[in-house]
Amino acid sequence: MARRTRKRPLKHAGLNRTAVAPNEATAPARKRSEAPLVAPFYVAVDRQLKSGHETYEAAEKAAVAVKKRYPRLHVTVYEAKVHQHTVIEPPKPANFHNNKLSAQGTRNALRRCQ
């Protein structure tokens, strides 16, 4: 028995293509449109603007909250007026100590007691 095949329609069927003369001017390339920035400060996560804020302190507070929850993300505060990103570092724990220094301090304290 013969196998039946289905004919598929052409992808570009019905498109009329016209050749452009080499000396003829073509239309200029379209520029990417940008969304208007209405707030002066934004929280940016991995260079994508997420939330707008009226003050730098409010934007920084929101950025620190994101950075605290997701420390591996690149979180910045973006100033729309000057087009500048300020990197937000992860907050250090309150009881942060350098292990080497605290161990050395403990050894010195034990020597004094002997």
Side-chain angles (χ1 to χ4, degrees):
M1 190 178 223
R3 187 173 173 188
R4 296 175 66 183
T5 59
R6 182 173 60 159
K7 289 187 177 181
R8 294 184 181 143
L10 296 174
K11 289 183 180 179
H12 302 291
L15 293 179
N16 295 331
R17 296 179 185 243
T18 57
V20 177
N23 295 337
E24 188 177 323
T26 59
R30 290 192 322 180
K31 293 183 180 179
R32 289 177 46 179
S33 63
E34 295 179 8
L37 300 177
V38 294
F41 301 98
Y42 288 88
V43 174
V45 179
D46 292 336
R47 293 286 180 158
Q48 295 182 4
L49 302 182
K50 297 298 181 185
S51 61
H53 300 276
E54 292 299 319
T55 63
Y56 179 82
E57 289 76 21
E60 186 178 33
K61 183 178 178 182
V64 167
V66 171
K67 188 67 172 181
K68 186 183 279 187
R69 185 159 184 187
Y70 304 102
R72 289 185 170 218
L73 292 179
H74 183 258
V75 181
T76 61
V77 174
Y78 177 71
E79 295 182 51
K81 191 172 187 178
V82 293
H83 304 290
Q84 180 180 1
H85 287 268
T86 305
V87 177
I88 302 298
E89 297 296 328
K92 303 249 190 247
N95 58 357
F96 178 76
H97 294 290
N98 187 346
N99 290 336
K100 188 175 183 180
L101 292 177
S102 63
Q104 186 179 13
T106 304
R107 278 188 238 119
N108 290 340
L110 288 174
R111 286 183 189 151
R112 283 187 231 135
C113 292
Q114 291 177 355

